[in-house]
Amino acid sequence: MNFELNEDQIAFQQSARDFAERELAPHAAEWDAESIFPLDTIRKSGDMGFLGLYTPEAYGGLGLSRLDSAIVFEELAAGCTSTAAYLTIHNMVSWMIASFGGKQLAEQWVPKMVTGEVLGSYCLTEPGAGSDAASLKTRAEKKGEVYVLNGGKMFISGAGSTQVLVVMARTGGPGPKGISAFVVPADAPGVSYGKKEKKMGWNSQPTRAITFDNVEIPVENRLGEEGQGFAFAMKGLDGGRINIATCAVGTAQAALNAAQRYVQERQQFGHPLAELQTVQFRLADMLTELVAARQMVRLAAWKLDNASADASAYCAMAKRLATDLSFNIANNALQLFGGYGYLQDFPLERHVRDLRVHQILEGTNEVMRMIVARKLLQD
Ligand code: FAD
Ligand code: 2MC
């Protein structure tokens, strides 16, 4: 067992760190304040392969493992949490089309997603179906060679600025087995978008509701067979949860780095704050928890790469643990900055605002506990 990164991983990590420092970090505060979705930068990240990290090479992706991808996403999140998190969703969507769509569908969409010509959104949540995703009501009615979609989605990341939607919709009876997944062009007649939601964080990417009003989709746009859509959605989210967790770790690392510097510069009572043992102990706990979170994420990614039977439960454990610990680390870093941590002149308040939603989306941390407990009690 070797816990050191190999040469390739160090190279990926360095190129992601360089990109984050050059292209993301200098603009993150402005994108947050002005709610700018940085499309040019996102497309530029495609030149580095970041729009298709674990997308198969056959469609232009890098074909990396989840572990390697997690190392890259962690670095990107240290530059801009919200933008990196959108990149992870785009990667998840492109991987789903490549993995579950037929060759023709994959060839039509995925190469353009890898370059950034086409950006993707993942559409599972509905106003009445959040944690209980299998209760979704959007319907896809088969009529000859097309499906007709009616219904609505809520909280869709990127919506209104993306070109392709992977939509989970009901083709059969109630419950998970009645759900299928579809590739829907974002500008298909009958697709309309709600207002850009005003959010606490994740402001560099738009979030909108979507309505489907008699949207006609060719039968070939279905992923796999009828009834497989829920399992596809969950498989996408296994990796998605690692990604959301690794973005939390990257952000927590950025917060810890800032705090480490600050306490050595800031003087009170005639000494740098770093000389206080209470400050040292706080930093020590932050670092210990950061390392634990990172290792848990990498273990879960490794499990997914190796198709371990308990991989989904590990993805849920990693998501729960890493997002809770990372939020607390960023909040502690803010505390060490005192009043300055609360000002927008420093990145700490943004880190805290951005990280809060990682405990909610891609399955709330309560749902993560549900998945872990089910696995524990079933074994
Ligand atoms: P609810 O399910 O109503 O939950 C409310 C509370 O009850 C939570 O605390 C929850 O944990 C708790 N709860 C519910 N059931 C249980 C239970 N059985 N046991 C214990 N506690 C329970 N969705 C997409 O499909 N695509 C996206 O791109 C997307 N992006 C998002 C971006 C943002 C900024 C946000 C905020 C959300 C996004 N979501 C997206 C939706 C997100 O996944 C849901 O908000 C999340 O799954 C929770 O659903 P809900 O909001 O309906 O909460
Ligand atoms: N991989 C493959 N198949 C899976 C799976 C996984 N990870 N998880 C479940 N399935 C299958 C499962 O095996 C079962 O099929 P079968 O009966 O053939 O065995 C089927 O799916 C139904 O599974 P469950 O019986 O576990 O379904 P249930 O309705 O009890 O709920 C739960 C499952 C709560 C885990 C799921 O609804 C869930 O994850 N809810 C949270 C929703 C969520 O994460 N939303 C995120 C939206 S995206 C987002 O937020 C973004 C920012 C992009």
Side-chain angles (χ1 to χ4, degrees), residues 276-295:
L276 297 168
Q277 196 182 49
T278 173
V279 168
Q280 293 172 4
F281 279 20
R282 193 192 282 260
L283 286 170
D285 284 349
M286 288 160 72
L287 179 59
T288 306
E289 287 170 10
L290 183 65
V291 171
R294 176 180 293 124
Q295 291 311 117

Side-chain angles (χ1 to χ4, degrees), residues 35 53 86 89 95 102 125 144 151 160 164 174 176 211 277 301 308 312 317 345:
S35 292
L53 282 173
Y86 171 72
I89 295 170
W95 175 81
T125 307
V164 67
T211 304
Q277 196 182 49
S308 302
S312 298
M317 280 190 247
D345 299 335

Side-chain angles (χ1 to χ4, degrees), residues 89 122-125 129-132 154-157 199 202 207 357 360-364 366-367 370:
I89 295 170
Y122 174 97
C123 310
L124 178 65
T125 307
S131 297
D132 185 9
M154 184 69 195
F155 289 124
I156 304 305
S157 301
K199 308 193 293 283
W202 270 37
T207 309
V357 85
I360 296 172
L361 44 67
E362 299 216 6
T364 66
E366 290 73 32
V367 168
M370 218 165 108

Side-chain angles (χ1 to χ4, degrees), residues 83-253:
T83 306
Y86 171 72
L87 293 179
T88 73
I89 295 170
H90 174 83
N91 270 264
M92 172 168 70
V93 172
S94 122
W95 175 81
M96 286 177 75
I97 301 175
S99 305
F100 308 127
K103 191 161 180 281
Q104 206 182 334
L105 195 61
E107 278 174 353
Q108 183 185 350
W109 291 101
V110 181
K112 289 182 189 159
M113 296 186 77
V114 168
T115 60
E117 188 184 331
V118 165
L119 296 178
S121 290
Y122 174 97
C123 310
L124 178 65
T125 307
E126 299 185 355
S131 297
D132 185 9
S135 70
L136 64 82
K137 289 198 160 54
T138 295
R139 262 214 96 79
E141 215 60 73
K142 192 158 178 241
K143 292 197 174 150
E145 286 312 296
V146 297
Y147 281 95
V148 182
L149 254 69
N150 278 292
K153 296 290 172 181
M154 184 69 195
F155 289 124
I156 304 305
S157 301
S161 300
T162 54
Q163 289 72 40
V164 67
L165 315 172
V166 166
V167 179
M168 272 50 77
R170 193 163 298 286
T171 47
K177 292 282 186 285
I179 296 171
S180 303
F182 299 90
V183 172
V184 179
D187 60 355
V191 179
S192 59
Y193 297 92
K195 66 170 182 5
K196 186 153 98 174
E197 304 290 358
K198 292 188 176 158
K199 308 193 293 283
M200 174 180 178
W202 270 37
N203 287 321
S204 80
Q205 49 165 309
T207 309
R208 289 191 171 87
I210 306 183
T211 304
F212 303 102
D213 182 12
N214 286 318
V215 178
E216 291 193 5
I217 301 300
V219 171
E220 301 78 55
N221 280 30
R222 193 187 61 226
L223 299 181
E225 300 301 322
E226 277 200 8
Q228 290 187 308
F230 190 75
F232 292 164
M234 293 296 118
K235 285 183 181 173
L237 282 176
D238 280 342
R241 287 166 183 161
I242 292 173
N243 298 341
I244 287 303
T246 202
C247 286
V249 171
T251 308
Q253 180 73 66

